[in-house]
Amino acid sequence: MREWLVDQLRETGWKRWDHDVNNGYHNIMADIQLNLLPALERCTIVASTLRGLAIHHGLNERFNIPAENFTQILDRICKLRIVAHSILVYAGYEGRQFSAFSKWLRFQIDMQVTEPGSIAAEETAEQEAGIDYIQVLAYVEGALNHSKLDPFLTQDLAGGPPSLEDVKDIKDSLEKHRMGMPFDNALLATTSSAMELDRSCKEVYGKIATWQASNTSLGEGAITLEKEQVSAKDMRMVFEQEIYGEKHMTTYVIVVPTTTKNLIHIHRILDSVSSNASKDASAADVCTLKLPTGEIRDIKFIDDDFLMAILCTTDASHLITIQYSGATPTTDTEQLSRRALSPPSLHDDSIFQSLHPPNPNRNHRNPRKTWDRSTVAALRPYIRHTFFAAERFVPEKLAVNGRKHRRAVCVLGRDRRHYKVFDLDNMEDGMEFSEIATDETTGGQGRDTFMTG
């Protein structure tokens, strides 16, 4: 023993031993107190809140997660907290034992290196009174050979987390561990408890993801064109009042195929606004509008009732408006006067009506109705402005904007340098849009003012 203390361990070895063991116990306690326990407290708050929401909503569409899942998470957090507090108790107890053992060991090293009967030996012997031999013997019999912390810090991942029935006996296992009786180490392993909590949380995460996906997933779409290019298109959602006894949000889609640029396909797709409605369209239909031979350069929705298109023929270009819906109430006389578009609309029960059974995949190849406006005489009631071929201005693009009763449409020329702006709410002679701005105004030196920006 003297040779081991003096020749092998010595003072330097004792310092490393004392430093490493004390730091080990300190780090274990710090990780539990500063990291694990606060994290468990935050998890408890979140799980308790979610369990309250689950109990309140009771598996409805607002929160479709059973409360039992959160109760299971809280139980496993509680078990992990019991393990954490047990680690703190044993780490503190063994840390105090090792401090007494380290003090005794240093005393023995100092006694062996001093000469018997010398003054240094007498001074060293006086230090023996401060040694707690009860703690020293307890450390030598226990933690020096087999620490009580070993079952808690064992990373046995081969068998996976224990089942819920086995974890219920964790208090009995702790008692057997305290008494030195045989027990299942997996029940006290921190890694096993953490894996079990992680498994429960992932199960809830999966259910939450499935519930959120069911609320945000899109149903089957309506086919507008199959394997064809589109030269112009636009889309608008309109809230239409009681249709067949139910409120509906209707989506209107207008497309102009590149192969037949004088045809407008107007798709109408109905969706119920109720929270428990199907994700698929409840009904869909399509109407085809045939215009005179020419090319539809652009098409836009103006509001919830009207759409506007640019039709270019050989001799002129026309700005036309068509009433596709009747969603806006017609009780406002001022609104009626501003919308003095007298031609018949394309919206009635014979064109757009709810289909039974639902048919969201109806497309332009099988339209419910085709409106033929292929002659100039038939189209004339819908023309709001004409750009004659003699003019240098050839319309190309549309942009509708403005506020209520002050709406305007900007028509961009083909050269992308000239534009004209028309007032949508005021008409000249009851038919023509009034022109409120143009870039073709001649300046003082006879030059045009071009659009910039």
Side-chain angles (χ1 to χ4, degrees), residues 197-210:
L197 177 60
D198 181 68
R199 183 179 62 181
S200 300
C201 292
K202 286 182 178 179
E203 181 181 355
V204 174
Y205 295 156
K207 291 183 178 180
I208 292 177
T210 303

Side-chain angles (χ1 to χ4, degrees), residues 161-172:
S163 61
L164 182 61
E165 289 77 15
D166 295 332
V167 179
K168 289 183 177 180
D169 300 330
I170 187 172
K171 291 185 178 180
D172 294 338

Side-chain angles (χ1 to χ4, degrees), residues 14 17 27 29 37 76 106 129 141 152 166 183 213 244 266 274 278-279 310 353 364 371 377 422 433 437 451:
W14 169 83
W17 190 356
N27 291 337
M29 298 177 67
L37 288 179
R76 298 187 175 183
R106 177 59 187 268
E141 294 176 355
F152 300 100
D166 295 332
F183 63 96
Y244 300 101
I266 309 175
S274 59
S278 172
K279 298 298 180 182
I310 299 176
Q353 55 183 321
H364 69 284
W371 283 76
F422 298 92
F433 285 137
M451 179 179 65

Side-chain angles (χ1 to χ4, degrees), residues 61 272-278:
E61 66 276 3
S272 176
V273 298
S274 59
S275 58
N276 57 353
S278 172

